[in-house]
Amino acid sequence: MKQNSSYIDLFLVVLLCHSGCCLPVEYGDFNFDYLLFDQHWPITECWHWKSLNTSNSCSLPQVQNAFFVHGLWPSQSGTKGPNNCSNQPKFDRKALDPILSRLKQRWANIHGGTDDYSFWSHEWKKHGTCAQVLEPFNSELKYFKGSLDLNALYDVYGALAEYGIKPATQSYAVDDVLNAVMKKFGKAPQIYCLISKGQVLLHSVRLCFDRNIKLIDCSSVGVSAKNCGGKKTLQYLNKITVD
Ligand SMILES: *[C@@H]1O[C@H](CO)[C@@H](O)[C@H](O)[C@H]1NC(C)=O
Ligand SMILES: *[C@@H]1O[C@H](CO)[C@@H](O)[C@H](O)[C@H]1NC(C)=O
């Protein structure tokens, strides 16, 4: 599988360079097996951001019944990355104009005082430039739009709510959260917790996709089902309690 992908990538690089569309381009290693799709719970991300510095503030969305896209990350089984695969194309703010309102609703930067574009630019440079070797993500607009489409298709908030798991002050069993997502989507995700100040918080739900953008079991590419420090229960925050 790995070998196959690298042949395809090589082919693509050759093709791109022969078609004359690319001026000097520094290609990195585009070798990846799957895409890790991280959707986070805005309230936990805000909690995290505030916990880093008491002067940090959040810009939280009005509508709080959705997980937000954090990123779609090309990854190799058993390890991370690749990252920053190419310095081309450069991040272009205007390219996102057609989907700006969707981005602001589902891929907003929660960190107050820093702008949305700095977040998107970071995700593009680090991950999008790697994902662009796949046809569905072969432009900045397609990478961001494609990720938003996955966010709409794999509605984590809705999946959990369907099994009675809603933001609350009570705790939930990590296994119940895991099973709800598994039952709804039919494949094993990763439940990713933030462990800080003695609390175990549901931070994100990660889904894994193969290079054809088909949902696969995260366990099949070496991503563990639970990343909650071995804890049995977690909290799904309904409000910010950090300060
Ligand atoms: C917290 O943020 C303030 C304002 O930006 C900064 O002056 C301070 O150094 C930061 N504190 C820490 C611990 O990073
Ligand atoms: C990759 O890009 C990210 C985002 O721009 C940057 O923070 C990071 O330092 C870069 N890493 C390397 C190894 O260049």
Side-chain angles (χ1 to χ4, degrees):
M1 158 127 187
K2 235 181 202 165
Q3 247 183 348
N4 259 348
S5 349
S6 64
Y7 285 137
I8 293 166
D9 297 341
L10 188 66
F11 174 72
L12 249 155
V13 170
V14 170
L15 190 77
L16 283 172
C17 294
H18 276 247
S19 65
C21 64
C22 62
L23 299 162
V25 164
E26 274 172 40
Y27 281 99
D29 175 10
F30 286 100
N31 222 336
F32 57 88
D33 307 310
Y34 70 100
L35 297 140
L36 189 69
F37 185 47
D38 186 289
Q39 300 189 79
H40 60 199
W41 177 234
I43 296 180
T44 303
E45 181 52 31
C46 172
W47 189 98
H48 173 56
W49 174 240
K50 284 189 156 188
S51 74
L52 295 176
N53 187 328
T54 49
S55 64
N56 284 348
S57 65
C58 302
S59 73
L60 276 172
Q62 291 301 307
V63 180
Q64 294 183 351
N65 62 353
F67 277 59
F68 277 22
V69 181
H70 179 186
L72 181 69
W73 306 327
S75 306
Q76 291 179 31
S77 296
T79 172
K80 285 191 174 176
N83 294 149
N84 303 3
C85 290
S86 171
N87 60 9
Q88 295 292 333
K90 295 264 183 276
F91 179 76
D92 172 16
R93 289 174 166 242
K94 285 198 114 23
L96 300 179
D97 284 353
I99 53 168
L100 199 53
S101 67
R102 286 184 70 197
L103 283 165
K104 285 178 179 291
Q105 279 168 32
R106 290 289 186 269
W107 202 334
N109 186 356
I110 290 151
H111 303 172
T114 61
D115 85 345
D116 286 332
Y117 287 100
S118 64
F119 180 30
W120 299 331
S121 165
H122 170 87
E123 292 297 314
W124 171 254
K125 286 183 200 151
K126 191 168 176 187
H127 307 286
T129 58
C130 301
Q132 67 175 322
V133 292
L134 302 178
E135 191 278 332
F137 303 125
N138 66 6
S139 72
E140 185 187 313
L141 178 60
K142 285 169 77 175
Y143 174 71
F144 284 92
K145 183 177 179 303
S147 303
L148 287 171
D149 290 346
L150 291 176
N151 170 267
L153 202 55
Y154 296 98
D155 168 14
V156 170
Y157 184 91
L160 296 178
E162 204 170 305
Y163 289 89
I165 299 170
K166 290 201 162 180
T169 45
Q170 71 182 85
S171 292
Y172 292 101
V174 177
D175 281 336
D176 289 346
V177 175
L178 175 64
N179 289 331
V181 177
M182 266 181 91
K183 279 187 213 153
K184 181 67 183 172
F185 300 147
K187 299 286 178 192
Q190 182 184 65
I191 304 306
Y192 186 89
C193 295
L194 177 72
I195 303 174
S196 180
K197 303 185 176 177
Q199 284 186 276
V200 184
L201 307 174
L202 175 59
H203 188 230
S204 55
V205 171
R206 294 169 167 184
L207 300 174
C208 299
F209 293 89
D210 69 13
R211 292 176 60 112
N212 298 313
I213 330 300
K214 192 168 149 278
L215 188 67
I216 56 172
D217 284 316
C218 283
S219 52
S220 74
V221 286
V223 177
S224 61
K226 293 178 270 187
N227 192 331
C228 293
K231 300 289 193 284
K232 294 262 184 275
T233 60
L234 55 69
Q235 269 186 286
Y236 183 8
L237 290 183
N238 61 347
K239 57 180 191 306
I240 307 299
T241 50
V242 69
D243 35 29

